[in-house]
Amino acid sequence: MGSFMPLVAELGPLRRAFARVRANSRAAGVDGVTPEVFARGLEGRLKQLRDDLFGGNYRPQAVLRAFVPKVGRSEMRPIGIPTVRDRVVMGALRGVLEPMFETGFADCSYGYRAGLGAHRALEAVAGHLAAGRHWVLEADFDDFFDTLPHAPLLRLVEATVPDADLCGLVGLFLRQPVFDGQRTRVRRRGVHQGSALSPLLANVYANPLDHLLLQAGHHPVRYADDFVVLGRHRGEVGAALDLVRGWTEKAGLRLHPEKTRLVREDDPAGEGFDFLGYRFECGTRRPSPRGLAALRGAVNDRLRKGGTPAAILADINRLLEAWYQYFRHGSPAVFAEIDAWVRRRLSGVLAAASRRLAPMSLHDRWERDRQTAASAGRGEPGATAYDEFPADDIPEAWDGYQ
């Protein structure tokens, strides 16, 4: 028995992991058991899990394959829904593994790490641009999460985790079969998007690339499978692309052919580059076309569902606030355009409702925060990092930003 297993399998860690599962999702896996159902007789279920883990008898069940729409787009995102029982073990295991890997992660990696997130990654990009690094390698892995090779990933885990039992649990979760509603199949590559372990394992696999680029003197910024490398000359980022291509081939991955390119951010004749939902172009930062389309799609989806004016406007307000909080670092000029479009779409609803229910405009939200920031001596709202809404906490509706 490895010395770290009690940190996963004892009742205390399992109870804390279940509390997080219950707070984050109501979904059931292949066994049809929801967190609410699992909570009935919780202590008995957790004691059985503990005994299975310590006895070496724990085996995860199949993952339920589901598809969720990407808001504002016709595409569907595949996700895997583990059973509540397995989500509890994954959560407890992640709590032990993360500190082991965290000290070895490169500073240029921002995705799914405590205290970091999308806004920190965006500020890092802005800092490189301010330093004169206007040539950009804009890169994206093709089907990154679904194509991670299991054997080399496990070797990376075993090189850091000094416990064979924990490594064995990671292997069990990698080999979890998938049930798509008709048949069960075994995966030989990839990690299940939607599991508690997949973001950590993705960072573990990409970490050698981060260090390779940094050791060669490059300036990468990565958020999961979306990354850029910034430099002062085309040759500099071209050399980075050669390094990335070489590593990608050896790692058994692919670069997305349409999303990988060299661009110059300060070229007036160009179109800049997109990163984490923002478009950077000639010293400006604003929502990308996909980010704007995501908001319009979310508003239209909500209007199609119908309901009372008060309910519709309350939901639209929540959408606008989440969208604004993510994009508040962009130019406020875009807010007036969005405000006008939203009010046109809501004209019929607003006519039937009290004016006091009308959503606060994005410009008013920006002015509200500007005045709050000024009174606190912080300057403009877009001038400081805003990390209350890290990327992994943005509502699912905003998956379409990237």
Side-chain angles (χ1 to χ4, degrees), residues 171-319:
L172 287 175
F173 285 127
L174 284 178
R175 295 189 294 273
Q176 269 183 289
V178 179
F179 179 65
D180 62 9
Q182 295 183 333
R183 63 188 182 93
T184 300
R185 60 184 179 84
V186 177
R187 290 183 62 149
R188 305 194 183 281
R189 298 175 68 90
V191 294
H192 301 287
Q193 293 191 61
S195 83
L197 283 178
S198 61
L200 173 63
L201 295 177
N203 277 335
V204 168
Y205 202 72
N207 189 51
L209 174 61
D210 296 338
H211 285 286
L212 177 67
L213 290 167
L214 291 171
Q215 289 165 6
H218 295 295
H219 302 278
V221 179
R222 183 177 63 82
Y223 188 97
D225 57 337
D226 195 0
F227 69 99
V228 292
V229 184
L230 299 97
R232 291 188 170 89
H233 311 287
R234 180 184 178 90
E236 186 179 343
V237 293
L241 177 57
D242 290 339
L243 271 181
V244 171
R245 281 175 171 159
W247 181 88
T248 301
E249 183 176 351
K250 292 178 182 177
L253 301 174
R254 300 185 303 270
L255 287 174
H256 196 295
E258 297 176 1
K259 297 181 181 179
T260 302
R261 60 188 186 129
L262 303 182
V263 298
R264 185 173 174 177
E265 180 269 345
D266 62 347
D267 182 1
E271 58 180 23
F273 68 97
D274 294 345
F275 185 61
L276 298 180
Y278 276 87
R279 169 147 303 176
F280 292 83
E281 183 179 3
C282 294
T284 65
R285 188 191 336 180
R286 63 182 187 276
S288 69
R290 184 173 288 181
L292 292 170
L295 177 63
R296 292 190 174 101
V299 171
N300 287 332
D301 287 347
R302 180 59 190 90
L303 290 176
R304 277 193 290 269
K305 292 179 181 177
T308 66
I312 292 173
L313 290 172
D315 288 345
I316 296 299
N317 247 321
R318 281 192 289 270
L319 287 170

Side-chain angles (χ1 to χ4, degrees), residues 37 107 119 140 154 172 217 269 286 342:
V37 172
D107 291 341
H119 285 102
D140 196 335
L154 270 176
L172 287 175
R286 63 182 187 276
V342 169

Side-chain angles (χ1 to χ4, degrees), residues 24-367:
N24 291 333
S25 174
R26 293 175 292 177
V30 293
D31 59 0
V33 176
T34 66
E36 293 306 313
V37 172
F38 194 89
R40 302 168 194 165
L42 177 64
E43 288 303 302
R45 294 178 190 270
L46 295 184
K47 287 176 181 176
Q48 184 62 58
L49 261 183
R50 177 196 61 189
D51 293 344
D52 288 346
L53 287 164
F54 278 122
N57 300 316
Y58 172 78
R59 296 294 182 272
Q61 295 171 273
V63 169
L64 179 63
R65 173 56 61 94
F67 293 88
V68 295
K70 295 182 179 181
V71 175
R73 298 156 68 183
S74 59
E75 304 166 64
M76 301 289 284
R77 178 189 296 279
I79 63 170
I81 306 176
T83 63
V84 174
R85 167 181 174 270
D86 294 335
R87 299 206 300 266
V88 168
V89 178
M90 286 180 189
L93 177 60
R94 185 184 68 180
V96 177
L97 295 181
E98 278 182 336
M100 295 181 181
F101 287 105
E102 186 60 35
T103 56
F105 283 156
D107 291 341
C108 63
S109 170
Y110 292 86
Y112 309 107
R113 297 178 64 190
L116 298 177
H119 285 102
R120 294 288 181 88
L122 292 163
E123 292 307 314
V125 169
H128 286 306
L129 292 172
R133 300 184 181 98
H134 295 288
W135 276 99
V136 181
L137 162 60
E138 184 182 5
D140 196 335
F141 292 113
D142 192 9
D143 292 330
F144 178 69
F145 285 90
D146 288 333
T147 59
L148 290 178
H150 289 175
L153 175 55
L154 270 176
R155 286 195 293 271
L156 288 171
V157 171
E158 291 165 352
T160 298
V161 178
D163 189 308
D165 292 317
L166 298 194
C167 293
L169 276 179
V170 173
L172 287 175
F173 285 127
L174 284 178
R175 295 189 294 273
Q176 269 183 289
V178 179
F179 179 65
D180 62 9
Q182 295 183 333
R183 63 188 182 93
T184 300
R185 60 184 179 84
V186 177
R187 290 183 62 149
R188 305 194 183 281
R189 298 175 68 90
V191 294
H192 301 287
Q193 293 191 61
S195 83
L197 283 178
S198 61
L200 173 63
L201 295 177
N203 277 335
V204 168
Y205 202 72
N207 189 51
L209 174 61
D210 296 338
H211 285 286
L212 177 67
L213 290 167
L214 291 171
Q215 289 165 6
H218 295 295
H219 302 278
V221 179
R222 183 177 63 82
Y223 188 97
D225 57 337
D226 195 0
F227 69 99
V228 292
V229 184
L230 299 97
R232 291 188 170 89
H233 311 287
R234 180 184 178 90
E236 186 179 343
V237 293
L241 177 57
D242 290 339
L243 271 181
V244 171
R245 281 175 171 159
W247 181 88
T248 301
E249 183 176 351
K250 292 178 182 177
L253 301 174
R254 300 185 303 270
L255 287 174
H256 196 295
E258 297 176 1
K259 297 181 181 179
T260 302
R261 60 188 186 129
L262 303 182
V263 298
R264 185 173 174 177
E265 180 269 345
D266 62 347
D267 182 1
E271 58 180 23
F273 68 97
D274 294 345
F275 185 61
L276 298 180
Y278 276 87
R279 169 147 303 176
F280 292 83
E281 183 179 3
C282 294
T284 65
R285 188 191 336 180
R286 63 182 187 276
S288 69
R290 184 173 288 181
L292 292 170
L295 177 63
R296 292 190 174 101
V299 171
N300 287 332
D301 287 347
R302 180 59 190 90
L303 290 176
R304 277 193 290 269
K305 292 179 181 177
T308 66
I312 292 173
L313 290 172
D315 288 345
I316 296 299
N317 247 321
R318 281 192 289 270
L319 287 170
L320 290 175
E321 183 67 21
W323 191 90
Y324 166 74
Q325 293 295 353
Y326 188 78
F327 286 110
R328 68 197 297 263
H329 293 294
S331 170
V334 73
F335 298 155
E337 173 191 341
I338 292 297
D339 288 335
W341 179 84
V342 169
R343 290 186 179 278
R344 285 196 301 272
R345 294 291 292 123
L346 292 177
S347 58
V349 176
L350 291 174
S354 168
R355 292 290 297 177
R356 66 181 176 83
L357 294 176
M360 182 189 293
S361 73
L362 293 172
H363 183 272
D364 287 345
R365 296 169 201 267
W366 185 85
E367 181 64 23

